Amino acid sequence: MEDQAVCCYRHPQRETGISCTRCERPICPECMISASVGFHCPECVSGRVSAGSGASAAGPPPGAARPRTVAGGTITSDPRLITKILLAVNIAIWLAVLSAGDRLVNDLDLVGRAYDPGAGQIVGVAEGQWWRLVTSVFLHQQLMHIAFNMLSLWWIGGPLEAALGRARFIVLYLLSGLGGSALSYLLAAQNQPSLGASGAIFGLLGATAVLMRRLNYDMRPVIALLALNLLFTFTWSGIAWQAHVGGLVVGTVVAYGMVHAPREKRALVQRGTCALMLLAIVAVVWIRTMQLTG
């Protein structure tokens, strides 16, 4: 007879391999709170577990630290808030594109250096239009493009935000998007425009793999998903593979620093990892700009 799957006691639909070290009940990434040894559940941290549950009913002393996620973020009442905001921003810009047409796209997409007939001048990041590295991450034209990216953001972003916390999640998303933009700027043709949140989404995929490995989850589903997406990236025409690879690399590195940072040096390691990736992105952009303008 096969063993029955173990599920989180607060979210029965979520399988997990992690248990609270105080009451020994199974908990998922959204519920787990880092402790000096292992993880605790929210009830144990807040002191609401009854004596019959196997944990101390006394709870933590007054002034104990607030519940934290596996990466040290604060547990919130809405663990998907940033994900919802990102969805709203992407959809709002897409609707604006539908209304304004190609002019808005030409002003916001990622292009290294090219002549814009509509503007009657040379435009691009190399011409000082640095905002394109960011705005292109939130820019979509085709319905299928934004639909696929936003569904991926909702499915992957929500659990990641719950596991990392709001601040760390938004930093991960933005750095992944910038990483994708930077590699596209470096390797793509200077007059080849690109747009979309795919680089940021690939960063979230890489972060998901890092988190699952950290929690000793079954890696096969996320590896299969990554392999399938990379297959599409390099076999379908019209896809900016540079953005996908750049986002994946940056997201993986940032997530590793976030979830593997030792507790006593967590802030230092996490901020240092993010700063290192940002410096790398700036260096790539500077090198490409020198190539195009030198």
Side-chain angles (χ1 to χ4, degrees):
M1 182 176 180
E2 296 183 355
D3 294 336
Q4 185 177 3
V6 178
C7 298
C8 175
Y9 80 93
R10 300 177 76 232
H11 301 95
Q13 75 279 11
R14 302 178 187 175
E15 294 187 18
T16 182
I18 305 297
S19 297
C20 173
T21 55
R22 295 177 68 179
C23 67
E24 299 185 351
R25 291 182 293 182
I27 46 178
C28 66
E30 181 178 335
C31 299
M32 63 178 55
I33 299 162
S34 296
S36 56
V37 178
F39 302 95
H40 291 168
C41 67
E43 279 75 11
C44 283
V45 171
S46 62
R48 290 196 297 266
V49 177
S50 63
S53 66
S56 172
R66 295 181 64 185
R68 296 285 174 177
T69 67
V70 65
T74 303
I75 301 292
T76 60
S77 57
D78 184 359
R80 287 180 179 260
L81 178 63
I82 300 300
T83 301
K84 294 174 183 176
I85 292 174
L86 289 171
L87 282 166
V89 171
N90 278 276
I91 293 173
I93 294 177
W94 177 66
L95 293 175
V97 167
L98 292 182
S99 175
D102 292 341
R103 183 68 263 160
L104 183 60
V105 173
N106 293 339
D107 289 339
L108 300 180
D109 64 0
L110 176 62
V111 62
R113 192 169 187 262
Y115 179 74
D116 183 356
Q121 62 182 357
I122 297 177
V123 300
V125 177
E127 294 299 307
Q129 297 176 343
W130 309 105
W131 66 81
R132 293 176 181 269
L133 295 165
V134 179
T135 55
S136 60
V137 177
F138 296 89
L139 188 65
H140 300 82
Q141 277 185 295
Q142 304 300 324
L143 175 61
M144 288 302 297
H145 190 196
I146 189 171
F148 182 81
N149 279 343
M150 294 305 99
L151 284 173
S152 298
L153 174 58
W154 180 253
W155 288 332
I156 303 171
L160 263 180
E161 182 181 348
L164 299 178
R166 291 174 179 173
R168 290 164 179 80
F169 177 72
I170 189 61
V171 169
L172 169 70
Y173 186 90
L174 293 176
L175 284 177
S176 297
L178 280 173
S181 294
L183 197 62
S184 289
Y185 180 46
L186 177 67
L187 299 180
Q190 66 181 51
N191 62 345
Q192 177 62 51
S194 63
L195 49 82
S198 300
I201 300 300
F202 264 77
L204 300 187
L205 268 173
T208 298
V210 171
L211 179 64
M212 292 182 69
R213 180 67 182 85
R214 169 70 172 79
L215 300 176
N216 294 319
Y217 282 9
D218 184 359
M219 294 290 293
R220 287 174 294 183
V222 71
I223 290 176
L225 184 60
L226 268 172
L228 184 62
N229 276 277
L230 288 172
L231 177 64
F232 290 154
T233 295
F234 290 103
T235 57
W236 284 16
S237 61
I239 292 180
W241 64 266
Q242 301 92 340
H244 293 191
V245 173
L248 177 63
V249 171
V250 172
T252 300
V253 173
V254 169
Y256 191 90
M258 287 183 174
V259 303
H260 286 280
R263 188 180 184 189
E264 62 276 8
K265 296 182 179 179
R266 178 180 285 157
L268 177 63
V269 172
Q270 291 178 346
R271 292 170 184 170
T273 302
C274 294
L276 180 63
M277 287 296 97
L278 182 59
L279 286 174
I281 291 169
V282 171
V284 167
V285 172
W286 180 80
I287 290 171
R288 180 57 169 167
T289 300
M290 293 298 100
Q291 291 177 348
L292 297 180
T293 60

